[in-house]
Amino acid sequence: MKKVCWPYFDPDFQNLPERIYGPMCRVCIDNESMEDCTLVKVDSMNKQGLVLELVQVLTDMNLNISKGFIASDAGWFMDVFHVKDEHGHKLTDQKVINYIQQAIGTTGEIPSSAVAKTYANKAVFGSEHPSEHTAIEMTGTDRPGLFSEISAALADLQCNIVEAHAWSHNDRLACVAYVSDQSTDTPIKDPLRLAAIEDHMTTVLRTAEDLSPSGTHINPLEVKKSGGFPVGDVIKTNVERRLHQLMLSVRDFDGPYGPVNTRGLRSNGEEGGRRAGVWIESCDQKGYSIVSVECKDRPRLMFDTVCTLTDMQYVIFHASVSCHGDYAFQEYFIRHIDGCALNTEGEKERVIKCLEAAIERRVCKGVKLELCAANRVGLLSDITRVLRENGLAVVRADVATQGEKSVNAFYLRDISGNEVLDMDFVERSMKKEIMGPVDLAVKNDSKNIIPPESATSSPVRSPRFSFGDLLRSKIGRFSHNFVPINRCT
């Protein structure tokens, strides 16, 4: 028998990069350097979307990023985040620290852990078993009572809504719902029934005057590509990121913005209106476009901006993020995925509009209604019907099932788009219409609204660190000195 000869490879050669550089991703949680926050340091091989993966891990743990420095050069990525928990304290729970290290260390392959269920994003109300349900995505032109119509239509179609999230912005609506069969409590897999649900929900979303792209996408395992975004499994895509993508696909950034001043600051034209400042400059010597964002600070702000830039196919090479009082400043050095900077005014204007929309669409002006009741089929339909009958429109919704309870959070305005002044009658109507005990809490989320005096004057800028000043002068030495000598694991 002839011998088969294969090339010889030294087994130590395969591990050479790791021997030279160490593990491909090193994570250090530092609680000693700063008195008021925890430092999360990451040192790893670079790849497209890595910044978003890291920010998403921290955001999903309800951590607030008060400052951050990001740099990537020659295929290597280095990052430092200053983080606090939702109460403004340093991270002291060792289980949380271990989970962050494991989640970031796997570079996007989030580990399954009881810690994740305990500390995961409460704002999204993540389902423990989303793969056991059918995912339905809906986009279209918003109108008063539309979310109530969607809830009622799904109930009529014998669909039990296990989880749902909806955003409304600039007369556009995006909704992701997880449903099961009402009789069997299992995913809906019959192609004919899925087609019927899709057809009926598309009819609900469309009106005679609606000429914008609207539609429904249903698949028990995968989400169809829509709006030009390369999206895979909805379970693998963060729900909030998917809502950003859906809103972008229906061009919610084409909204009624006010005039742009010399620094790119916009106002919505209303007294007390929210405003974000976005402007773009060029770093010609290094071929970057510098995107600067200045707006009122809030939780999840960095996730929203990084998510938008990533989904628009831009690569973040360097960044600095900081907060000064109630305002946040972000600076990103980006190129398109093809290696080009933003060269045309049209492309710059589109990036500005999309970032403004990403900042604005999460901020809800008005009353927040939190409701917890015994779960049953049609509960969401009944709740939204009571709200609609009382002249209230849902501008954002987060609905989830936790055991035998249905946990709901709604942001409400009146049917004319104004703030709700009196919720007492609504509370009485809700308790009367909903069978069984109901826990209600009404909050006025004024923290998400810039006061009138701030809306008409530019925020006072505190002295801040800028990568722009550094990169324009000493980017070479910066890249060399940024590599830590003693890496943490």
Side-chain angles (χ1 to χ4, degrees):
M1 179 179 290
K2 295 182 179 180
K3 294 183 179 180
V4 179
C5 297
W6 299 98
Y8 172 75
F9 290 97
D10 188 337
D12 291 336
F13 181 79
Q14 186 175 2
N15 300 325
L16 184 60
E18 184 168 336
R19 289 164 59 191
I20 296 176
Y21 301 108
M24 293 299 99
C25 184
R26 300 174 183 269
V27 183
C28 175
I29 308 296
D30 181 2
N31 261 326
E32 304 298 329
S33 299
M34 306 294 291
E35 294 183 0
D36 60 341
C37 67
T38 299
L39 299 185
V40 179
K41 305 175 183 178
V42 182
D43 183 6
S44 75
M45 294 290 289
N46 194 19
K47 67 173 185 177
Q48 166 66 355
L50 180 59
V51 178
L52 177 58
E53 290 179 5
L54 301 181
V55 173
Q56 182 174 314
V57 169
L58 300 177
T59 302
D60 285 348
M61 299 292 287
N62 267 351
L63 303 180
N64 295 322
I65 302 173
S66 59
K67 187 179 293 185
F69 304 102
I70 299 167
S72 62
D73 195 18
W76 201 255
F77 174 89
M78 292 145 286
D79 172 48
V80 178
F81 288 120
H82 296 224
V83 301
K84 301 177 184 179
D85 64 19
E86 56 185 333
H87 304 294
H89 303 143
K90 298 171 68 171
L91 308 184
T92 56
D93 191 331
Q94 190 59 43
K95 292 181 180 179
V96 176
I97 293 174
N98 293 340
Y99 175 79
I100 293 173
Q101 289 180 314
Q102 186 180 4
I104 295 178
T106 53
T107 61
E109 187 178 329
I110 309 303
S112 176
S113 165
V115 179
K117 296 177 183 178
T118 304
Y119 297 94
N121 172 18
K122 299 174 184 177
V124 174
F125 300 100
S127 173
E128 293 184 5
H129 306 287
S131 60
E132 298 179 1
H133 313 299
T134 301
I136 302 179
E137 295 182 347
M138 292 161 277
T139 58
T141 299
D142 194 23
R143 61 181 183 272
L146 178 56
F147 186 69
S148 177
E149 294 177 33
I150 290 173
S151 305
L154 289 173
D156 292 340
L157 291 166
Q158 308 300 306
C159 296
N160 178 32
I161 302 176
V162 181
E163 182 178 343
H165 309 280
W167 285 0
S168 174
H169 179 246
N170 280 345
D171 297 327
R172 305 289 195 275
L173 175 81
C175 178
V176 177
Y178 297 98
V179 303
S180 62
D181 182 84
Q182 177 179 320
S183 57
T184 63
D185 198 27
T186 58
I188 303 171
K189 297 182 178 180
D190 181 10
L192 295 178
R193 186 178 177 190
L194 290 173
I197 294 173
E198 183 171 346
D199 182 68
H200 185 74
M201 296 309 300
T202 301
T203 302
V204 171
L205 289 164
R206 287 186 178 274
T207 64
E209 299 81 21
D210 184 11
L211 301 178
S212 65
S214 304
T216 307
H217 303 283
I218 305 178
N219 198 302
L221 296 178
E222 294 184 353
V223 176
K224 301 175 183 178
K225 295 180 181 179
S226 62
F229 294 104
V231 181
D233 194 333
V234 70
I235 307 307
K236 296 178 182 178
T237 302
N238 178 276
V239 174
E240 293 186 339
R241 182 180 180 185
R242 190 64 187 133
L243 287 168
H244 276 300
Q245 293 172 338
L246 292 172
M247 293 297 275
L248 203 55
S249 71
V250 293
R251 302 179 64 85
D252 74 316
F253 53 85
D254 286 337
Y257 294 106
V260 184
N261 69 15
T262 56
R263 295 299 290 166
L265 299 176
R266 295 181 184 265
S267 175
N268 64 4
E270 298 177 1
E271 184 179 2
R274 299 180 300 274
R275 184 194 59 190
V278 182
W279 58 94
I280 299 176
E281 301 170 294
S282 297
C283 182
D284 296 329
Q285 60 268 41
K286 293 297 178 181
Y288 295 122
S289 290
I290 308 173
V291 178
S292 301
V293 178
E294 193 168 311
C295 63
K296 186 174 175 64
D297 189 30
R298 60 168 175 77
R300 319 181 80 78
L301 177 62
M302 187 176 182
F303 172 83
D304 294 338
T305 52
V306 171
C307 175
T308 300
L309 289 172
T310 302
D311 285 332
M312 293 181 71
Q313 303 295 297
Y314 292 103
V315 181
I316 298 173
F317 289 88
H318 306 279
S320 68
V321 177
S322 61
C323 301
H324 303 290
D326 291 335
Y327 276 86
F329 180 86
Q330 301 179 353
E331 189 175 56
Y332 300 101
F333 284 70
I334 67 170
R335 295 188 189 121
H336 194 268
I337 196 170
D338 61 9
C340 299
L342 283 68
N343 297 320
T344 66
E345 291 302 318
E347 187 178 12
K348 292 179 181 179
E349 183 68 14
R350 184 173 185 272
V351 171
I352 290 174
K353 285 186 175 182
C354 289
L355 284 173
E356 287 173 341
I359 295 168
E360 293 292 328
R361 67 172 66 109
R362 187 191 291 274
V363 181
C364 297
K365 181 180 179 181
V367 172
K368 180 181 181 182
L369 173 66
E370 296 179 348
L371 185 149
C372 181
N375 186 42
R376 59 177 173 82
V377 176
L379 176 63
L380 182 60
S381 176
D382 291 342
I383 294 173
T384 54
R385 174 182 54 80
V386 173
L387 295 175
R388 185 183 73 246
E389 290 174 350
N390 282 274
L392 301 179
V394 178
V395 295
R396 176 177 161 189
D398 291 300
V399 178
T401 303
Q402 298 179 356
E404 300 298 321
K405 294 287 186 179
S406 176
V407 182
N408 309 266
F410 304 100
Y411 286 86
L412 307 172
R413 290 198 299 253
D414 70 19
I415 202 167
S416 302
N418 301 318
E419 291 187 56
V420 182
L421 300 178
D422 185 8
M423 285 291 293
D424 292 339
F425 182 74
V426 177
E427 291 185 57
R428 292 195 297 269
S429 300
M430 194 71 69
K431 292 180 179 180
K432 180 180 178 180
E433 293 287 337
I434 306 301
M435 296 181 295
V438 178
D439 294 330
L440 282 172
V442 178
K443 301 178 180 180
N444 193 338
D445 268 20
S446 57
K447 63 182 181 180
N448 285 333
I449 305 174
I450 294 180
E453 59 270 19
S454 300
T456 56
S457 60
S458 180
V460 177
R461 293 184 187 172
S462 303
R464 57 176 174 80
F465 173 82
S466 171
F467 268 109
D469 301 333
L470 192 59
L471 286 172
R472 289 187 181 94
S473 57
K474 299 179 180 179
I475 189 169
R477 192 173 70 179
F478 167 77
S479 299
H480 175 75
N481 293 338
F482 200 95
V483 180
I485 297 175
N486 297 318
R487 298 187 179 100
C488 303
T489 56

